[in-house]
Amino acid sequence: MMDNPEEDSLHLHQDEEIIEVIDLNDTEQTAEDLAEELEDVDFADAGDADDDGWETEDEMESEQDDSELTFSKHTGSVFCVSLDPVTNSLAVSGGEDDRAFVWSVTDGDVLFECTGHKDSVTCAAFSCDSKLVVSGDMSGLIKVWKVEKKEEIWSFEVGDLEWLEWHPCAPVLLAGTADGNVWMWKIPSGECKTFQGPNCQATSGKILPDGKRVIVGYEDGSLRLWDLKQGNAIYVIKGHDGHRGPLTSLACNKDGTLVLTGSVDGQAKLINTSTGKVLCSFSSENSEAKDSMQEQDSNSVESVGFCNVLPLVAVAYLDGTLAIYDMNSQSLRHRCKHEVGIVHLQWEEASAVVSTCNLAGAVTLWDARSGIVMSEYRGHSAEILDFMLNREASVAVTAGGDHKAKVFCLQRPDR
């Protein structure tokens, strides 16, 4: 990476003019400063598209319904759900029916529908200020909507879409696609930059809390940390240090110094984001002894996450194991068993409680200190494909294969 230490900002040459871009050198910058500077990012133009399909599992019977509210506007499996970060009062859900809805978690009323998609909506999320919402379908059609006016303000088509993520403090959107590219747009102008990875899917991505870097995992098991200002890869982790299969999940700790990665190879790796050094690898029981990819696939890592209050990480596996590891000793603390595969996990913001959703349609709360189930919530008649906790961890919003999204009130003795 070529860099001039005397320069405080990147300058890109375009049409023989010098355009000042983002200054991302000062790690002490506030979110407001970063948001202002991202207004000046220099982007370019581009585009194209493709198709894909999705298969769902058979429905199962639900014996109970612990939910407070059921959202039933979808006519196919609900693949994704997200809460608005400012008030946590609105949800956006996307589904197999090529539709996305913005709706109230209090009464289920639809604020508006994100119309015009031509394939299953697999990505949907609010911007950091809750003023914008993005919906993206599998074919690569991405739309951004202004929540207050309930109107579409921007759209773009890329190749098959793998993931979407908003910048943590500016109206900037990132997407990873099946051709290995990562796209970054300024919204609503649509000015664009691309980060070209290896010739394989960019399967997962996570913007670090400083808003200056993004870690991206690829189908070939490699990882790249990209500098959003410079547009270059700060480092690449591959080969012996990388994974032996596609990346499935990424998480970073609160200050962005560590990243945890998960892969179909059954491994989770803890990485120092400053150096790119792999500090340790966590494996499920006997995963080191597995030699066939089929066996590794059967215990794929599906979700990973950091505890904010203790030096613990959680790794969720497809075989139903939720493993709690101690980062200091790099040892397994608890193995929490589900009867079926885990789809996603999320730690509470201010406690050592981790929640999971699974293929049996349940949300389960675990005390990571003891490894004991605290409570379980049911109501879906099919697998839960996504869920999200609100800021206080008092509500979980779920997306199910039974064509429904649900709102659960999470009661705990200590609340």
Side-chain angles (χ1 to χ4, degrees):
M1 177 178 70
M2 300 296 293
D3 196 12
N4 184 347
E6 296 179 358
E7 290 186 1
D8 289 328
S9 62
L10 170 68
H11 292 79
L12 297 179
H13 293 265
Q14 186 179 37
D15 299 330
E16 300 180 351
E17 293 181 0
I18 299 178
I19 304 172
E20 184 167 314
V21 192
I22 326 172
D23 182 64
L24 293 175
N25 288 324
D26 183 2
T27 56
E28 300 301 319
Q29 285 175 296
T30 64
E32 290 79 10
D33 292 335
L34 279 171
E36 268 183 39
E37 289 170 357
L38 278 162
E39 288 294 300
D40 301 323
V41 183
D42 184 55
F43 294 84
D45 295 317
D48 84 320
D50 241 323
D51 278 7
D52 209 340
W54 193 289
E55 293 180 3
T56 55
E57 301 199 2
D58 293 335
E59 291 194 353
M60 62 199 93
E61 299 244 351
S62 176
E63 298 174 359
Q64 65 190 72
D65 190 354
D66 303 315
S67 65
E68 297 294 314
L69 182 148
T70 300
F71 182 78
S72 305
K73 297 292 185 183
H74 287 282
T75 56
S77 294
V78 188
F79 292 140
C80 57
V81 68
S82 188
L83 287 167
D84 87 271
V86 174
T87 68
N88 286 183
S89 63
L90 293 176
V92 58
S93 56
E96 186 183 23
D97 53 5
D98 307 351
R99 303 165 83 189
F101 296 94
V102 176
W103 49 278
S104 165
V105 298
T106 306
D107 54 22
D109 284 353
V110 175
L111 191 64
F112 63 93
E113 180 180 351
C114 305
T115 56
H117 284 286
K118 55 187 182 181
D119 206 339
S120 298
V121 177
T122 53
C123 301
F126 290 89
S127 60
C128 59
D129 58 7
S130 295
K131 292 181 179 178
L132 303 175
V133 68
V134 63
S135 54
D137 66 37
M138 290 182 73
S139 74
L141 179 58
I142 302 168
K143 293 174 173 285
V144 173
W145 311 77
K146 197 173 186 69
V147 175
E148 185 181 9
K149 295 188 176 180
K150 309 175 185 178
E151 65 181 19
E152 180 183 326
I153 61 167
W154 178 84
S155 69
F156 195 81
E157 287 193 65
V158 294
D160 292 353
L161 185 65
E162 297 291 324
W163 54 270
L164 280 172
E165 186 172 359
W166 284 103
H167 190 276
C169 58
V172 169
L173 182 66
L174 273 74
T177 56
D179 59 9
N181 286 331
V182 173
W183 300 72
M184 183 169 73
W185 299 277
K186 187 165 66 174
I187 305 298
S189 70
E191 293 165 281
C192 172
K193 289 179 74 171
T194 57
F195 307 86
Q196 191 168 3
N199 191 26
C200 63
Q201 294 175 3
T203 56
S204 51
K206 182 71 180 173
I207 303 170
L208 300 193
D210 62 12
K212 306 172 186 182
R213 300 167 293 166
V214 60
I215 185 92
V216 181
Y218 297 89
E219 187 184 24
D220 64 359
S222 66
L223 289 130
R224 283 163 175 75
L225 185 72
W226 294 96
D227 185 310
L228 294 178
K229 179 186 78 170
Q230 305 283 4
N232 65 289
I234 300 170
Y235 53 71
V236 180
I237 301 171
K238 60 181 181 179
H240 176 73
D241 290 331
H243 284 279
R244 293 173 293 159
L247 272 289
T248 56
S249 50
L250 293 168
C252 61
N253 65 345
K254 213 164 181 64
D255 63 8
T257 56
L258 298 171
V259 162
L260 188 63
T261 67
S263 166
V264 300
D265 66 6
Q267 302 274 323
K269 292 178 183 288
L270 188 65
I271 299 166
N272 181 309
T273 57
S274 297
T275 63
K277 181 181 178 182
V278 177
L279 303 177
C280 65
S281 291
F282 302 111
S283 303
S284 62
E285 188 176 16
N286 297 327
S287 66
E288 300 92 337
K290 295 178 178 177
D291 359 90
S292 80
M293 183 55 73
Q294 183 178 1
E295 286 181 304
Q296 291 165 8
D297 280 345
S298 69
N299 205 22
S300 166
V301 173
E302 296 298 298
S303 189
V304 296
F306 288 90
C307 178
N308 289 333
V309 298
L310 291 173
L312 302 175
V313 296
V315 180
Y317 298 91
L318 190 57
D319 73 348
T321 301
L322 173 69
I324 308 296
Y325 295 102
D326 188 305
M327 283 196 294
N328 292 338
S329 64
Q330 300 178 7
S331 61
L332 177 69
R333 178 174 281 201
H334 301 292
R335 181 176 287 112
C336 311
K337 287 296 293 181
H338 300 67
E339 293 181 0
V340 296
I342 304 169
V343 177
H344 185 54
L345 71 80
Q346 186 180 339
W347 286 93
E348 293 188 356
E349 283 289 323
S351 79
V353 174
V354 59
S355 297
T356 60
C357 68
N358 64 47
L359 295 174
V363 173
T364 310
L365 276 60
W366 300 84
D367 185 338
R369 295 164 299 184
S370 64
I372 294 173
V373 173
M374 301 181 67
S375 51
E376 187 170 81
Y377 299 86
R378 293 183 178 272
H380 283 282
S381 59
E383 66 276 15
I384 295 177
L385 299 170
D386 193 18
F387 87 110
M388 185 174 183
L389 301 178
N390 70 343
R391 200 166 26 248
E392 295 79 22
S394 59
V395 168
V397 183
T398 58
D402 55 2
H403 307 180
K404 294 176 173 58
K406 285 180 174 285
V407 178
F408 294 89
C409 288
L410 309 179
Q411 304 300 326
R412 290 224 319 264
D414 58 340
R415 265 204 284 262

Short mmCIF file of all heavy atoms in Angstrom, two decimals, residues 11-20 42:
data_model
loop_
_atom_site.label_atom_id
_atom_site.label_comp_id
_atom_site.label_asym_id
_atom_site.label_seq_id
_atom_site.Cartn_x
_atom_site.Cartn_y
_atom_site.Cartn_z
N HIS A 11 -6.77 11.91 -2.50
CA HIS A 11 -7.21 12.67 -3.67
C HIS A 11 -7.26 11.74 -4.86
O HIS A 11 -6.30 11.06 -5.17
CB HIS A 11 -6.25 13.83 -3.96
CG HIS A 11 -6.29 14.88 -2.89
ND1 HIS A 11 -5.65 14.75 -1.68
CD2 HIS A 11 -6.92 16.08 -2.86
CE1 HIS A 11 -5.85 15.83 -0.95
NE2 HIS A 11 -6.61 16.65 -1.63
N LEU A 12 -8.39 11.71 -5.52
CA LEU A 12 -8.56 10.90 -6.72
C LEU A 12 -8.60 11.83 -7.92
O LEU A 12 -9.22 12.90 -7.87
CB LEU A 12 -9.88 10.11 -6.65
CG LEU A 12 -9.98 9.07 -5.52
CD1 LEU A 12 -11.35 8.40 -5.61
CD2 LEU A 12 -8.89 8.04 -5.65
N HIS A 13 -7.96 11.42 -9.02
CA HIS A 13 -7.96 12.21 -10.23
C HIS A 13 -9.08 11.72 -11.13
O HIS A 13 -9.14 10.55 -11.45
CB HIS A 13 -6.61 12.09 -10.93
CG HIS A 13 -5.51 12.73 -10.14
ND1 HIS A 13 -5.08 14.01 -10.37
CD2 HIS A 13 -4.76 12.25 -9.11
CE1 HIS A 13 -4.09 14.29 -9.51
NE2 HIS A 13 -3.89 13.24 -8.75
N GLN A 14 -9.93 12.60 -11.55
CA GLN A 14 -11.03 12.23 -12.43
C GLN A 14 -11.30 13.42 -13.35
O GLN A 14 -11.57 14.52 -12.90
CB GLN A 14 -12.29 11.91 -11.61
CG GLN A 14 -13.42 11.38 -12.46
CD GLN A 14 -14.62 11.04 -11.59
OE1 GLN A 14 -14.89 11.74 -10.64
NE2 GLN A 14 -15.33 10.01 -11.97
N ASP A 15 -11.22 13.14 -14.71
CA ASP A 15 -11.39 14.19 -15.71
C ASP A 15 -10.45 15.36 -15.43
O ASP A 15 -10.81 16.54 -15.53
CB ASP A 15 -12.83 14.69 -15.74
CG ASP A 15 -13.79 13.57 -16.11
OD1 ASP A 15 -13.37 12.65 -16.85
OD2 ASP A 15 -14.94 13.62 -15.66
N GLU A 16 -9.20 15.04 -15.08
CA GLU A 16 -8.14 16.01 -14.85
C GLU A 16 -8.45 16.99 -13.73
O GLU A 16 -7.86 18.06 -13.62
CB GLU A 16 -7.82 16.78 -16.15
CG GLU A 16 -7.35 15.84 -17.27
CD GLU A 16 -7.03 16.59 -18.53
OE1 GLU A 16 -7.32 17.79 -18.60
OE2 GLU A 16 -6.47 15.95 -19.43
N GLU A 17 -9.42 16.62 -12.86
CA GLU A 17 -9.69 17.44 -11.70
C GLU A 17 -9.32 16.64 -10.46
O GLU A 17 -9.44 15.42 -10.43
CB GLU A 17 -11.17 17.80 -11.62
CG GLU A 17 -11.61 18.73 -12.76
CD GLU A 17 -13.08 19.09 -12.63
OE1 GLU A 17 -13.72 18.62 -11.67
OE2 GLU A 17 -13.54 19.83 -13.47
N ILE A 18 -8.88 17.33 -9.42
CA ILE A 18 -8.56 16.65 -8.16
C ILE A 18 -9.74 16.86 -7.22
O ILE A 18 -10.12 17.98 -6.92
CB ILE A 18 -7.28 17.24 -7.54
CG1 ILE A 18 -6.09 17.02 -8.49
CG2 ILE A 18 -7.00 16.58 -6.19
CD1 ILE A 18 -4.81 17.61 -7.98
N ILE A 19 -10.31 15.70 -6.80
CA ILE A 19 -11.50 15.76 -5.96
C ILE A 19 -11.14 15.25 -4.58
O ILE A 19 -10.62 14.16 -4.45
CB ILE A 19 -12.62 14.89 -6.57
CG1 ILE A 19 -12.89 15.37 -8.01
CG2 ILE A 19 -13.88 14.97 -5.75
CD1 ILE A 19 -13.82 14.46 -8.75
N GLU A 20 -11.41 16.04 -3.56
CA GLU A 20 -11.08 15.59 -2.22
C GLU A 20 -12.10 14.58 -1.74
O GLU A 20 -13.28 14.75 -1.91
CB GLU A 20 -11.05 16.78 -1.26
CG GLU A 20 -10.59 16.37 0.14
CD GLU A 20 -10.25 17.56 0.99
OE1 GLU A 20 -9.56 18.45 0.51
OE2 GLU A 20 -10.70 17.57 2.14
N ASP A 42 -15.59 10.35 -3.39
CA ASP A 42 -15.65 10.35 -4.85
C ASP A 42 -15.94 8.94 -5.33
O ASP A 42 -15.22 8.01 -5.03
CB ASP A 42 -14.31 10.82 -5.41
CG ASP A 42 -14.37 10.93 -6.92
OD1 ASP A 42 -15.26 11.63 -7.41
OD2 ASP A 42 -13.53 10.30 -7.59
#
